[in-house]
Amino acid sequence: MQTPSNAPVTDTCPTLRREGDSVLILDQTRLPHEEAFVRLATLADAALAIRSMQVRGAPLIGATAAYGVALALASDASDAALADADACLRTTRPTAVNLHWALDRMGRKLASVAPAGRREAAWGEADAIRREDADANAAIGQHGLALLNALAAEPGRPVHVLTHCNAGWLATCGHGTALAPVYAARAAGLPVHVWVSETRPRNQGLLTAWELRRDGIPHTLVADNAAAWLMAEGRVDCVIVGADRIAANGDTANKVGTCLKALAARAHALPFYVAAPLSTVDRSCPNGRAIPIEARDGDEIRRIGGLDDNGRPAFVHIAPPDSPVCNPAFDVTPAALIDGIVTPVGVCAAHDIGRLAGSLSGDSP
Ligand code: MRU
């Protein structure tokens, strides 16, 4: 992210920004073709933004939900309104646990505040969640940078990182999770190149390519199926991905296709890292089988979107409309395939993540 060097990233985060009593978001459904901002002024706006994936990525979903609570309380700060806002936002998307983490935190904070003071308290807590996520991203970046430094074979040769989906600044309130080490490497003068996996069916890899291009980071977009071949050719040094929910035993849900990358990395003896804030760890899920996996509309597989010859957004059908389709949005990578989880407090063995999160439990991401 290009920010003035003396400005805290939280003040310049272009993905989600508070403006008085409303919130401005970058509409990710229009990227990479159009950079358009949308104003969220009501609870319904916030819920729709999450559900329609105008905002996406686990930490950003959590922050948006927190602001959704603040927006809801603008007109009614009663216990009933608070409960309604929580119920409305909690069902917007099922897998990213940061949504539940943020709503739990808002609920705990506001339960101890009388209705007259709730509005202010809600904005304050949502601002804190956004700020702390940016700080967590910065710390993840530094711990991930140490891993990239260790992989740098010879001076001047870039470290080749493969990533899947988008876990950059578009998906968080700061520099991202999986991409935070890449931004830290650039800032430290370590040459880095990113293989960007396309991420069918919603093509979040295009968001990553857009983000990296905007920030001048060398990258190459590849079809999802190219990853194993690139690894076999010795053109990948490590894989870093984000996470939507990490179970207590380290099993990790992330965008569908992540597990295939982990399997290919293990087959080629390449390190596979997950980068995430502690708000993504769900200690109430003992293992990956307990993580709810979002099932999405089959048309995401049957159709593909882009610009038509006149430069207008359009979908084309690539399968018959009645083609049977299964569209899980996430998969689970077993802890045994993960070489480390890069957290804001250091790199942790996957099987230790539940213990680490427990020992630090509180509200800090
Ligand atoms: O369906 P999405 O686009 O919200 O899924 C996002 C991912 O899977 C990301 O990799 C994950 O949330 C980490 S974001 C820092």
Side-chain angles (χ1 to χ4, degrees), residues 28 50 53 55-61 93 95-96 98 133 137 163-173 176-179 199 202 204 207 241-245 253-256 258 275-277 280 294 296 329-331:
Q28 300 193 35
I50 298 171
M53 295 179 66
V55 290
R56 46 147 297 283
L60 188 67
I61 289 171
R93 289 195 72 193
T95 302
N98 308 60
D133 185 53
N137 290 178
T163 193
H164 186 64
C165 195
N166 171 267
W169 57 258
L170 281 170
T172 69
C173 302
T177 55
L179 292 187
T199 316
R202 284 191 67 100
Q204 285 93 334
L207 302 177
V241 297
D244 287 83
R245 192 183 296 227
N254 191 51
K255 183 54 55 194
V256 69
T258 300
T280 305
E294 179 176 12
R296 293 190 59 84
F330 302 94
D331 63 19

Side-chain angles (χ1 to χ4, degrees), residues 4-130:
S5 56
N6 59 349
V9 76
T10 43
D11 291 345
T12 52
C13 173
T15 317
L16 173 147
R17 197 167 63 232
R18 178 180 167 188
E19 282 194 354
D21 284 354
S22 65
V23 174
L24 210 57
I25 56 155
L26 181 53
D27 182 351
Q28 300 193 35
T29 61
R30 287 150 84 169
L31 291 173
H33 306 297
E34 190 191 355
E35 202 173 319
F37 290 85
V38 170
R39 188 171 300 281
L40 310 182
T42 64
L43 166 66
D45 292 345
L48 179 67
I50 298 171
R51 192 173 284 114
S52 69
M53 295 179 66
Q54 286 176 313
V55 290
R56 46 147 297 283
L60 188 67
I61 289 171
T64 307
Y67 281 113
V69 172
L71 291 169
L73 299 190
S75 50
D76 179 356
S78 65
D79 288 351
L82 186 54
D84 283 352
D86 184 282
C88 165
L89 291 160
R90 211 169 271 274
T91 53
T92 47
R93 289 195 72 193
T95 302
V97 76
N98 308 60
L99 171 73
H100 303 273
W101 171 88
L103 290 172
D104 289 346
R105 177 166 160 172
M106 294 297 285
R108 273 196 308 276
K109 172 78 187 178
L110 298 174
S112 64
V113 178
R118 272 191 191 150
R119 211 170 139 261
E120 239 5 80
W123 282 109
E125 196 66 3
D127 286 344
I129 286 173
R130 178 176 62 90

Side-chain angles (χ1 to χ4, degrees), residues 229-318:
W229 172 247
L230 293 168
M231 292 178 189
E233 289 279 286
R235 298 167 72 183
V236 177
D237 294 311
C238 71
V239 181
I240 313 181
V241 297
D244 287 83
R245 192 183 296 227
I246 304 175
N249 73 342
D251 291 352
T252 294
N254 191 51
K255 183 54 55 194
V256 69
T258 300
C259 185
L260 278 173
K261 304 288 189 293
L263 287 163
R266 181 57 56 91
H268 293 98
L270 291 169
F272 177 93
Y273 298 113
V274 168
L278 294 170
S279 51
T280 305
V281 181
D282 182 359
R283 287 187 297 133
S284 74
C285 274
N287 55 51
R289 282 189 305 282
I291 299 178
I293 299 295
E294 179 176 12
R296 293 190 59 84
D297 195 308
D299 277 350
E300 289 184 349
I301 309 262
R302 297 186 195 98
R303 308 184 313 168
I304 196 158
L307 296 182
D308 66 16
D309 288 345
N310 299 312
R312 281 190 297 259
F315 282 98
V316 295
H317 295 260
I318 57 173

